[in-house]
Amino acid sequence: MSIQTPQKPLPGAYIQTPAVSRFQSLQSRQSISVPPQQSQALNQQSQSVQNGGQKSESQDIPPIERAAKAINEALSEESRYPDLDSYIGQGISSEYEVTTQPAWAPFQKTKMHPIPDRIFAQYNRAQVSTIMGLFADFNHAWVAIDNALYLWDYTHPSPDLVSFEEQPHTITAVRLVKPRVGVFVPAVIRLLVVATTADIIIIGLSAQPAQHGGQSVALYTLKMSAPVKGLDVNIIEASDSTGRIFFSGRLSDDVYEFTYQQEEKWFQNRCTKVNHTRKGYSTFTPATLFGQRAQQETVVQMIMDDTRRLLYTLSSRSTIRTFHMKGNGVLDLVITKPLGQTLSNVGHMTSQSDLISPSMAIVSISAITAQEATKIHLMASTSTGCRIFMSATSSYGNYSSSSNAPTSMQVQHVKFPPADATTSNSTQMTNYSNTPSINISSSSLVPTRSAIRYAPGYFLAFIVKDQQSGTDLLFVSGPDSARIARPQDQQRLTRYAELALWLNLGSRAEDVGLATEPFAASSSPVGFGNELAVQFDKPTAEIAILTNTGVHMLRRRRLVDIFAAALRLGGGDEGLEGEVKKFIRQYGPGETASTALAVACGQAFDVTSDSRLARILDLDVLEHARKAFIEYGGKPLFNENSMLDQSVPAIDLVQPSPRHRGLSRYISRLVRSIWKAPILRELLTPTGGLVISSSVSMVKLKEISQDLIKLKEFLNVNKSFIEGLAGPEALGNVRTKQDEVCLQAEHRALHALVILIDNIIEGLAFVLVLYDEKIEETVLSLANEVRQQVRNLSYEGLCTTALGKQLAKDLVKAIVNRNILSGSNVETVAEALRRRCGSFCSADDVVIFKAQEYVKRASEAGADSDACRDYLNESLRLFKQVTGSLSMEQMNWIIENYVSLQFYAGSIQLCLDKAQESDRGNRALTWIQEGRPPGDKRAEAFEFRRRCYDLVHQVILAVERSRTESPDMVDGHLTLTGRRREEAADEIDSSNDEVFQTDLYDWYLQENWSDRLLEVESPFVITYLERRSSDDIAHADLLWKYYLQNERYQDAAMVQLALAKSQFVLSLDQRIQYLGNAKTNASTTRPGIARSTRTEVLREISDLLDVANIQSDLLQRLKGESRISSDRKPQVIEELNGSVLPLTVLFNTYCEPAFYFDLCILIYEAADHRVASDIKATWQNLLDGVHTQAELMDQGPQPYEMIAEAVRTLGNRLGLSEVMFPVADLLPMLKRYAFNYQNNVGPETWVVDIFTDLQVPYESIYGVSESMFYNDEPPFQGRNRRFIGNDLVYVAKAWFHDSLRGSGMIFGGEDNAIAVSEMLHTVMQTGLDDRRLEECQDLRMRIETMLR
């Protein structure tokens, strides 16, 4: 399958995708190919990302989180450095790398401080004895000459002597110890314990920084001593944690304790001595027997392990005793380990060795604290140069602790001396763990006079090769931390690898001391000995060795120093390449990359020719280190075993290069001391005040910042050469798809670290600025919740999390606000913040702070002054420049101040600008226009805008409140306050922000300000009401009212019609009311409305109103209908008292089944049903039904009256429709009814009166009656025709009188008059009664007269 360019870049990829032509050229190269399955898998994985497939969690990680994860992983890896017990296990070893190359030396002599001449002058006057030693942690040495003690700062070229000469006895031992807490004043930080031939004395010591950089000490006589005459004290040891002081002498192996207290008590002096090994009378037993001195075993060394509360002693017979310190001054002997037991233990580990034999002696012991190891407690050094590591266990088989005293001690491991030139092959053996050959008979360290060990394993052995010369040869070794941390063979247990060095002191060592703080990379055994982790974080260990010529300073060389020296002394390019490859072989490419980067950034130190310690800034060395980092940084590795897992994108299957690991390690080692540390600590003073201090010194923060800046500069300068930082052009060298993915992954990883470096630099700069200010006031000004978050904020959180960045901005605001309140120049402070930590104080923040200062000036100037307005306008101008950067908290502050100064219009402008800036794409408006769908992400944009609009609402309320305080007009003139209110109103009305107007109208209604909404003259009102009217009847009512107020009657009618037809919960009467109002509004003429449109709308309204009226009549009847069951009636009423139902439903469901024939006729009318037979039949049914109803009534009107009323009412409703009110059918129908059922009941003309009352034309009534007269239809035949004749005479008479009132001819014309006259003549012959006959004759005569 051919390789295809991804349509979308993978996460972390460059902006530009490689050109297609490049891949075409690759395909033409036959020597370069991708296995088909691999290519297919890569493309499928790429496509899964392009097509929006499942994304891995790794892809979703932002760069800063990815970098933080890399740093945390590096720190976690460093913290898992093997503990001492894991590589000094049960067995033996002799693995050393004794170097003869200065570049690879693990230690180096820095300088030698000579003993001052004044000391030699005093020495020359010695009479009895002279002893000397070191107080290395204070950079002081001491010498005791007879009864005088002298101290001097050996680092000073011309030191002053501090002397103690106030006692007459010869000094036998001196020790500097920590005092017990609470006994002495705070100035006394140490006690100088001086043992003489008669007393043991304690002297107070204080220390102050000296001008030259060291410490100046002073001694205080405390007048505290105890008698020790006859003990010849030569050893003093003390517990730092408890302040207990122990000592022993040359005449016995007893262990004494010197006790002291602040004041004397009953039966207890201020100072006394206690023997913890012999009780009672034996204490006073003389050491001689019959005048002969016995060979007494004595204590030659005491060491203290405060972590386990153990005191170890070494006797002159190489017996090791262990004492357990308990409370109340108890010291119990718990273990006695004679030399024989030690030899027996060792015999189980190795065959016969001359180095481990009864002839050897243990010359020194060194405690190994619980912080450094769990199992191993002690290291014993032998005169043959062997180191015996011992463990102590309790009776329960557990290793001892501070509360659990040990009961037994066993040898755990023996480290034999390094090989020497005389060692034969027969002296080497292989132990049970199948490690390389172990030399068990080397005499290279024979004889060892003394030895000492410092954590994490610095071993110094002083060997006297030439007894006559009296000089010591120093063998010094230290753990090879890089090899222990990452052994070459991961399958085997970590071995105790050491780097060693031989040094010729040229004199005899008198004392050794650690001049720096005791080493501890962690507080637990795991990770404790990791020198690599702290090589840029803690001072390098320095050991002071006092000889009879001076103080020799020995410095531990870090891996970075060794690498720099190897580059400097490598000897040409070929030698340099060999040195780099050697580093890679021994320590791995990742550690090599980290070390090379550190050297290139100037982290390496070396001793100069004038014995000064200086950074290695040799350009050649820096260039070689740069090349080593770039050229030997390795390649990213693609995990081909996971290629078939299509759920994981290809880029996530890439392991970044060793170069990335090296960069991560270097960064982690720079920031390890601050990464998890809080940025501040709060402490309460005894008086209840607050003191805030940094958890890390400012000096340390500056050092880390400078180192990171150098690293950043290095990466910027060399990014074009570093694979992964070179940019898109690096893709031109990619040969396969896999290489491209690897390069993308490498870029993603390295780019994340570059971002992190910038963040940390800015974070540290911010903290430094924070402590330059009055931090207590700044923190106290924060809200309680924010203050608690700041209290818990670590440097990691500050530099890598959004919360940390936000809290930093809150602190910046607090700093600026404090400066504003104090009247300081805010612009200067803000600009300084921006330059030093731009992420926390950007250019926009500077503008904001400057604008806030203008607001403060405006407040000081007074609300009614011109200066106030100028300041406010300038602040508004600045705020509008950075609207997008304003937080809601800042907006609240601004609006609150603006309102207090009556800057209403500016407040509204800023709020509206902020809302629009937050939603430039107007997503909130589209969300509103689409009906506000729930769960839509656009709702978030609207919610934020609404928060801005809520501020506008606050301004409007403030404006309303101001109306009650001051009027708008005074003496016909607009007041200042009134003008400001008008400006605010103009800002609101002129806004073209539809989302704002929508929210404003909602708020108006919420505040019951519907009248104000109707007064608004804006096109958005109609849009708003139209949009909301479909959901809310109140908005619909406001819409037609708004139309009416603006004389848009046709639009109002349409809204009312829509309401009548809507699905809102409305009663039928309400719908009829809407229709009635709509009909009225539609009938109102208005220019600009087409007549046809108005007519069409009016017809629709009228038709629906007719149906509604019919439904209303039906509803009223059914309410009183007794034929409906009580259960059914509520349902029927509910169905009818709502929406207007179709006529078919009304007719078929209700009217016809209920025999409501009058309503049926009305339905015919509304439905335009013109079938004459149906209409006639329904009228007949109506008459029958009314008559039947009337007859069933016991009391009430006559049947004819009810029928007359029904016909009259229906005629009015029908408007005398010719179709629905057919007079030609109704009149005969009623006459027949009257003849058949109401003969001689009521007026004889009541039928005709119905039609005349309805204003049916006389001509029509006369014509129908005339037809009935001539038709001779039953029952009006024969003599019964007179009933019709009577009606004809009655109608003709009424018609005659009606026509006389007009100006025209009678009966409408001469022809009609003649026809009526002739008809009257005919009627007269039908047998009319006398009265009607007389009326007929009289009428005929008058007609004839008028015709003549």
Side-chain angles (χ1 to χ4, degrees):
M1 175 180 286
S2 61
I3 302 177
Q4 299 177 359
T5 302
Q7 297 176 358
K8 296 181 180 179
L10 294 172
Y14 304 111
I15 298 175
Q16 298 179 355
T17 304
V20 177
S21 60
R22 176 173 57 84
F23 291 110
Q24 293 173 349
S25 63
L26 288 178
Q27 294 171 4
S28 63
R29 301 175 188 175
Q30 299 299 325
S31 60
I32 302 174
S33 62
V34 180
Q37 294 179 352
Q38 180 175 328
S39 175
Q40 181 179 1
L42 282 170
N43 282 290
Q44 288 176 353
Q45 288 169 330
S46 299
Q47 290 298 325
S48 67
V49 177
Q50 299 164 19
N51 299 331
Q54 181 181 0
K55 290 186 178 181
S56 68
E57 294 181 1
S58 175
Q59 283 186 280
D60 296 332
I61 299 177
I64 191 64
E65 291 186 19
R66 186 182 303 279
K69 180 180 178 182
I71 298 304
N72 284 319
E73 288 176 351
L75 290 172
S76 177
E77 182 185 24
E78 302 272 49
S79 69
R80 296 192 298 271
Y81 181 88
D83 61 330
L84 190 67
D85 298 321
S86 66
Y87 59 86
I88 304 183
Q90 188 79 23
I92 62 175
S93 64
S94 65
E95 186 173 356
Y96 296 89
E97 185 173 338
V98 182
T99 180
T100 58
Q101 301 178 14
W104 288 82
F107 293 87
Q108 65 182 153
K109 289 176 62 175
T110 55
K111 63 174 60 178
M112 195 275 285
H113 303 285
I115 296 176
D117 293 338
R118 295 172 60 187
I119 296 297
F120 283 116
Q122 295 292 337
Y123 177 79
N124 292 331
R125 290 196 291 268
Q127 297 178 358
V128 180
S129 68
T130 302
I131 55 175
M132 57 196 310
L134 287 171
F135 302 145
D137 51 343
F138 283 91
N139 293 332
H140 275 63
W142 61 269
V143 61
I145 303 174
D146 295 336
N147 68 322
L149 176 66
Y150 301 99
L151 285 73
W152 75 94
D153 182 353
Y154 58 75
T155 62
H156 196 281
S158 179
D160 295 329
L161 295 184
V162 179
S163 62
F164 174 69
E165 302 172 328
E166 285 75 16
Q167 60 87 31
H169 305 290
T170 301
I171 297 174
T172 59
V174 177
R175 180 76 171 179
L176 191 66
V177 302
K178 289 185 178 180
R180 197 165 69 244
V181 178
V183 178
F184 305 103
V185 295
V188 177
I189 61 173
R190 294 288 190 276
L191 294 179
L192 195 58
V193 184
V194 179
T196 70
T197 55
D199 304 287
I200 186 166
I201 308 166
I202 57 174
I203 304 165
L205 182 145
S206 66
Q208 298 292 335
Q211 293 182 353
H212 69 278
Q215 296 190 72
S216 174
V217 301
L219 302 181
Y220 299 92
T221 301
L222 302 176
K223 297 182 180 181
M224 301 179 75
S225 63
V228 292
K229 190 173 183 179
L231 297 181
D232 196 7
V233 175
N234 66 333
I235 297 171
I236 303 173
E237 184 61 46
S239 168
D240 289 343
S241 62
T242 63
R244 298 176 67 177
I245 301 172
F246 302 97
F247 61 91
S248 186
R250 293 187 178 91
L251 302 180
S252 71
D253 62 347
D254 293 336
V255 175
Y256 294 86
E257 181 176 0
F258 177 83
T259 64
Y260 58 94
Q261 58 190 13
Q262 196 170 21
E263 298 177 351
E264 290 188 3
K265 298 181 181 179
W266 286 99
F267 309 107
Q268 191 173 5
N269 296 328
R270 290 182 67 193
C271 301
T272 185
K273 71 176 185 297
V274 178
N275 189 331
H276 287 290
T277 53
R278 299 190 185 186
K279 311 296 181 184
Y281 176 77
S282 62
T283 305
F284 304 98
T285 302
T288 61
L289 183 62
F290 302 110
Q292 299 295 324
R293 179 176 297 272
Q295 184 65 33
Q296 178 67 41
E297 184 180 16
T298 62
V299 175
V300 297
Q301 187 182 5
M302 279 186 185
I303 58 170
M304 178 66 64
D305 182 358
D306 271 324
T307 61
R308 297 186 175 95
R309 293 188 177 274
L310 297 179
L311 174 68
Y312 301 101
T313 66
L314 174 64
S315 76
S316 57
R317 297 177 182 173
S318 298
T319 298
I320 299 172
R321 292 179 174 87
T322 304
F323 297 83
H324 185 244
M325 290 191 300
K326 296 182 179 179
N328 300 321
V330 176
L331 183 71
D332 290 339
L333 174 62
V334 293
I335 301 175
T336 299
K337 186 77 171 177
L339 179 60
Q341 289 186 12
T342 303
L343 295 175
S344 177
N345 292 158
V346 175
H348 294 292
M349 298 181 183
T350 181
S351 60
Q352 186 71 27
S353 172
D354 293 338
L355 301 180
I356 304 295
S357 66
S359 61
M360 75 165 194
I362 297 177
V363 296
S364 68
I365 54 175
S366 299
I368 298 175
T369 64
Q371 186 180 2
E372 186 177 359
T374 303
K375 297 178 182 179
I376 300 176
H377 289 53
L378 188 72
M379 186 195 81
S381 301
T382 70
S383 58
T384 58
C386 295
R387 282 177 279 170
I388 303 174
F389 294 89
M390 299 183 178
S391 63
T393 57
S394 66
S395 58
Y396 300 101
N398 299 323
Y399 294 98
S400 65
S401 63
S402 59
S403 60
N404 185 19
T407 57
S408 64
M409 180 175 287
Q410 302 83 28
V411 174
Q412 186 78 13
H413 187 92
V414 178
K415 185 69 180 271
F416 284 91
D420 57 10
T422 62
T423 303
S424 63
N425 295 332
S426 60
T427 61
Q428 297 184 355
M429 64 170 288
T430 302
N431 68 356
Y432 61 88
S433 60
N434 196 30
T435 55
S437 298
I438 299 173
N439 192 324
I440 62 173
S441 59
S442 171
S443 60
S444 60
L445 300 184
V446 178
T448 297
R449 181 175 64 84
S450 65
I452 193 168
R453 178 190 186 275
Y454 296 109
Y458 308 145
F459 174 64
L460 288 81
F462 298 92
I463 300 97
V464 182
K465 291 292 186 181
D466 185 358
Q467 296 290 343
Q468 295 181 353
S469 67
T471 61
D472 289 333
L473 187 63
L474 174 61
F475 175 81
V476 56
S477 67
D480 193 348
S481 301
R483 291 174 63 187
I484 293 174
R486 299 169 188 89
Q488 297 176 358
D489 189 349
Q490 299 289 342
Q491 302 299 322
R492 293 181 178 177
L493 294 176
T494 302
R495 297 196 303 273
Y496 188 9
E498 288 186 284
L499 295 173
L501 177 70
W502 287 95
L503 291 174
N504 191 348
L505 296 178
S507 56
R508 177 182 173 86
E510 300 293 338
D511 197 6
V512 181
L514 190 62
T516 52
E517 289 290 329
F519 181 89
S522 71
S523 58
S524 62
V526 176
F528 177 89
N530 194 349
E531 294 181 274
L532 300 175
V534 298
Q535 58 182 326
F536 314 122
D537 181 49
K538 292 187 176 183
T540 304
E542 288 192 13
I543 300 172
I545 304 172
L546 176 64
T547 69
N548 51 14
T549 58
V551 179
H552 299 260
M553 300 305 299
L554 195 63
R555 174 180 175 269
R556 170 65 163 169
R557 298 182 75 205
R558 306 169 300 168
L559 190 64
V560 64
D561 303 329
I562 294 174
F563 186 75
L567 294 179
R568 171 186 285 179
L569 305 174
D573 292 338
E574 294 182 1
L576 290 173
E577 183 178 355
E579 297 292 339
V580 173
K581 290 182 177 180
K582 179 180 178 182
F583 244 81
I584 294 174
R585 284 194 307 271
Q586 292 195 181
Y587 306 126
E591 193 61 52
T592 303
S594 176
T595 306
L597 179 61
V599 173
C601 293
Q603 287 286 1
F605 284 83
D606 201 0
V607 178
T608 61
S609 57
D610 56 353
S611 300
R612 289 185 304 103
L613 191 65
R615 289 184 183 271
I616 297 178
L617 300 177
D618 188 317
L619 296 181
D620 290 337
V621 174
L622 299 183
E623 175 61 19
H624 292 320
R626 183 191 74 86
K627 291 176 63 177
F629 176 75
I630 294 173
E631 296 177 5
Y632 295 93
K635 299 283 186 179
L637 179 63
F638 192 87
N639 186 0
E640 299 182 4
N641 295 328
S642 302
M643 284 180 53
L644 298 179
D645 185 1
Q646 299 300 322
S647 63
V648 180
I651 194 171
D652 288 337
L653 302 178
V654 178
Q655 178 182 344
S657 67
R659 183 185 298 105
H660 171 266
R661 293 198 301 275
L663 178 58
S664 300
R665 284 179 193 164
Y666 181 59
I667 297 173
S668 70
R669 289 167 182 173
L670 292 178
V671 303
R672 70 181 305 273
S673 60
I674 66 170
W675 192 245
K676 300 294 183 181
I679 65 171
L680 56 83
R681 285 198 181 103
E682 292 186 5
L683 298 174
L684 293 178
T685 63
T687 59
L690 177 67
V691 175
I692 296 178
S693 61
S694 174
S695 60
V696 183
S697 70
M698 295 296 104
V699 174
K700 183 65 177 177
L701 293 179
K702 291 177 182 178
E703 289 176 354
I704 296 173
S705 178
Q706 291 170 0
D707 290 339
L708 288 170
I709 291 172
K710 291 178 182 177
L711 174 60
K712 177 183 176 181
E713 292 173 352
F714 174 82
L715 295 176
N716 285 338
V717 171
N718 295 283
K719 64 182 180 180
S720 59
F721 306 105
I722 299 174
E723 187 174 303
L725 290 181
E729 58 272 13
L731 287 170
N733 300 322
V734 171
R735 303 174 64 187
T736 66
K737 179 68 177 181
Q738 178 174 313
D739 290 345
E740 180 183 351
V741 174
C742 289
L743 186 59
Q744 291 170 351
E746 182 79 355
H747 169 74
R748 182 177 69 173
L750 290 177
H751 179 66
L753 291 177
V754 170
I755 295 175
L756 177 63
I757 293 170
D758 287 335
N759 281 20
I760 299 176
I761 292 172
E762 290 197 354
L764 296 179
F766 166 73
V767 174
L768 292 172
V769 171
L770 183 64
Y771 282 97
D772 286 342
E773 299 290 327
K774 296 180 179 179
I775 188 170
E776 286 83 3
E777 295 180 10
T778 301
V779 172
L780 287 175
S781 66
L782 299 173
N784 289 334
E785 181 181 357
V786 176
R787 180 180 169 188
Q788 180 60 40
Q789 291 175 328
V790 170
R791 190 183 295 121
N792 298 330
L793 182 63
S794 66
Y795 284 89
E796 177 190 8
L798 174 67
C799 302
T800 64
T801 65
L803 176 61
K805 192 170 186 178
Q806 182 57 49
L807 291 176
K809 289 188 174 183
D810 291 338
L811 286 167
V812 168
K813 295 170 189 174
I815 292 172
V816 173
N817 290 336
R818 188 184 64 78
N819 280 275
I820 291 176
L821 292 175
S822 63
S824 303
N825 189 333
V826 176
E827 188 173 359
T828 302
V829 175
E831 184 61 29
L833 285 168
R834 187 194 66 79
R835 288 196 308 270
R836 298 180 66 177
C837 43
S839 294
F840 307 132
C841 182
S842 62
D844 286 356
D845 292 329
V846 175
V847 175
I848 292 171
F849 298 145
K850 186 175 181 180
Q852 288 176 331
E853 187 174 15
Y854 278 121
V855 175
K856 180 176 178 293
R857 292 180 184 176
S859 179
E860 295 171 349
D864 295 331
S865 65
D866 292 339
C868 176
R869 292 294 111 180
D870 293 339
Y871 286 137
L872 289 175
N873 287 324
E874 181 62 18
S875 71
L876 177 62
R877 184 186 68 81
L878 294 174
F879 281 135
K880 292 175 76 171
Q881 290 179 5
V882 292
T883 306
S885 300
L886 291 173
S887 67
M888 289 308 300
E889 180 183 359
Q890 290 171 326
M891 288 292 297
N892 287 323
W893 181 88
I894 295 168
I895 301 307
E896 180 181 351
N897 283 273
Y898 275 5
V899 169
S900 66
L901 298 172
Q902 296 186 348
F903 193 38
Y904 305 128
S907 301
I908 296 170
Q909 282 184 33
L910 185 60
C911 292
L912 297 183
D913 284 359
K914 175 63 178 177
Q916 290 185 328
E917 180 67 23
S918 68
D919 183 24
R920 293 184 177 181
N922 241 354
R923 298 167 67 243
L925 179 59
T926 59
W927 179 69
I928 292 174
Q929 291 172 342
E930 293 177 11
R932 310 188 183 203
D936 196 308
K937 291 186 177 180
R938 293 173 296 178
E940 297 176 1
F942 173 77
E943 287 300 324
F944 185 86
R945 294 182 73 156
R946 188 163 65 177
R947 292 175 63 189
C948 300
Y949 301 146
D950 286 342
L951 296 177
V952 178
H953 303 163
Q954 295 178 20
V955 176
I956 295 174
L957 291 175
V959 171
E960 293 302 314
R961 288 193 297 269
S962 69
R963 294 185 190 277
T964 62
E965 300 171 359
S966 60
D968 288 344
M969 305 291 290
V970 174
D971 298 332
H973 297 284
L974 189 65
T975 63
L976 179 61
T977 305
R979 185 170 69 251
R980 291 171 180 171
R981 286 194 285 264
E982 282 192 359
E983 291 172 354
D986 291 341
E987 286 293 335
I988 293 173
D989 294 339
S990 62
S991 173
N992 59 359
D993 184 352
E994 185 174 348
V995 180
F996 163 66
Q997 297 290 359
T998 299
D999 179 78
L1000 178 67
Y1001 304 151
D1002 282 337
W1003 183 71
Y1004 279 163
L1005 297 180
Q1006 180 182 342
E1007 297 292 321
N1008 295 320
W1009 289 355
S1010 56
D1011 293 341
R1012 175 170 295 190
L1013 176 61
L1014 296 177
E1015 295 172 358
V1016 175
E1017 296 182 1
S1018 171
F1020 296 122
V1021 176
I1022 295 175
T1023 303
Y1024 165 77
L1025 292 175
E1026 286 178 345
R1027 185 181 298 124
R1028 300 302 295 270
S1029 62
S1030 60
D1031 301 324
D1032 185 17
I1033 191 172
H1035 290 84
D1037 281 335
L1038 287 174
L1039 179 59
W1040 66 260
K1041 289 177 182 178
Y1042 188 84
Y1043 281 140
L1044 283 182
Q1045 187 164 312
N1046 290 275
E1047 297 183 353
R1048 295 175 60 174
Y1049 302 109
Q1050 189 74 13
D1051 293 328
M1054 294 297 296
V1055 175
Q1056 290 166 335
L1057 174 60
L1059 279 171
K1061 298 165 63 176
S1062 70
Q1063 297 300 317
F1064 289 127
V1065 180
L1066 294 171
S1067 66
L1068 185 60
D1069 289 340
Q1070 289 175 310
R1071 296 178 188 274
I1072 292 173
Q1073 184 179 359
Y1074 280 128
L1075 289 171
N1077 294 336
K1079 186 173 183 180
T1080 301
N1081 292 326
S1083 301
T1084 304
T1085 58
R1086 173 87 177 164
I1089 304 298
R1091 181 183 182 89
S1092 58
T1093 302
R1094 184 168 61 86
T1095 302
E1096 182 179 352
V1097 172
L1098 186 59
R1099 180 184 299 109
E1100 181 181 1
I1101 295 172
S1102 299
D1103 291 345
L1104 189 60
L1105 181 60
D1106 290 340
V1107 177
N1109 285 328
I1110 295 171
Q1111 184 172 328
S1112 178
D1113 292 341
L1114 176 61
L1115 175 63
Q1116 297 307 316
R1117 289 193 191 181
L1118 289 177
K1119 285 181 179 181
E1121 182 61 71
S1122 60
R1123 292 176 292 172
I1124 305 177
S1125 65
S1126 58
D1127 295 337
R1128 169 67 176 157
K1129 182 175 289 188
Q1131 181 181 354
V1132 171
I1133 293 174
E1134 183 180 357
E1135 290 175 356
L1136 291 174
N1137 193 24
S1139 300
V1140 179
L1141 301 177
L1143 288 173
T1144 55
V1145 175
L1146 295 177
F1147 183 84
N1148 295 324
T1149 306
Y1150 298 102
C1151 294
E1152 188 177 40
F1155 306 127
Y1156 297 152
F1157 299 113
D1158 54 342
L1159 298 182
C1160 290
I1161 295 171
L1162 292 174
I1163 291 174
Y1164 291 160
E1165 172 68 14
D1168 198 19
H1169 184 73
R1170 296 174 175 270
V1171 179
S1173 59
D1174 291 343
I1175 296 171
K1176 184 177 180 180
T1178 304
W1179 274 106
Q1180 185 61 58
N1181 290 335
L1182 174 63
L1183 298 181
D1184 295 341
V1186 174
H1187 177 74
T1188 302
Q1189 182 182 0
E1191 286 185 338
L1192 294 175
M1193 298 174 61
D1194 295 336
Q1195 296 179 352
Q1198 293 293 327
Y1200 81 89
E1201 292 176 330
M1202 293 181 64
I1203 286 180
E1205 181 61 26
V1207 174
R1208 190 179 293 112
T1209 300
L1210 195 54
N1212 285 325
R1213 293 280 297 276
L1214 295 172
L1216 298 180
S1217 168
E1218 294 181 359
V1219 177
M1220 299 303 157
F1221 194 82
V1223 177
D1225 293 330
L1226 290 177
L1227 184 57
M1229 193 181 299
L1230 288 170
K1231 287 301 293 182
R1232 284 192 292 272
Y1233 167 79
F1235 181 81
N1236 293 329
Y1237 298 103
Q1238 297 292 300
N1239 198 6
N1240 298 322
V1241 179
E1244 62 177 345
T1245 61
W1246 66 269
V1247 173
V1248 176
D1249 289 340
I1250 292 173
F1251 294 96
T1252 58
D1253 291 343
L1254 292 172
Q1255 297 182 356
V1256 176
Y1258 291 106
E1259 184 177 5
S1260 298
I1261 299 172
Y1262 180 83
V1264 173
S1265 299
E1266 183 181 18
S1267 297
M1268 291 177 62
F1269 183 82
Y1270 285 118
N1271 287 342
D1272 195 25
E1273 294 179 355
F1276 304 110
Q1277 295 175 331
R1279 185 171 175 80
N1280 291 339
R1281 292 175 65 194
R1282 68 179 184 274
F1283 292 103
I1284 303 302
N1286 289 336
D1287 288 343
L1288 285 170
V1289 173
Y1290 178 76
V1291 173
K1293 183 178 180 180
W1295 189 8
F1296 176 77
H1297 289 294
D1298 182 70
S1299 62
L1300 288 178
R1301 289 193 292 271
S1303 59
M1305 291 290 295
I1306 58 173
F1307 300 111
E1310 183 178 352
D1311 293 340
N1312 287 340
I1314 294 172
V1316 171
S1317 176
E1318 291 178 353
M1319 182 62 197
L1320 291 175
H1321 176 72
T1322 304
V1323 169
M1324 290 170 55
Q1325 301 174 5
T1326 58
L1328 300 174
D1329 56 54
D1330 295 339
R1331 181 178 63 81
R1332 192 65 70 186
L1333 180 61
E1334 183 179 354
E1335 290 178 358
C1336 183
Q1337 291 175 348
D1338 180 63
L1339 178 60
R1340 187 168 182 274
M1341 289 179 60
R1342 295 180 66 181
I1343 293 172
E1344 292 295 333
T1345 302
M1346 295 187 71
L1347 287 173
R1348 289 195 295 268

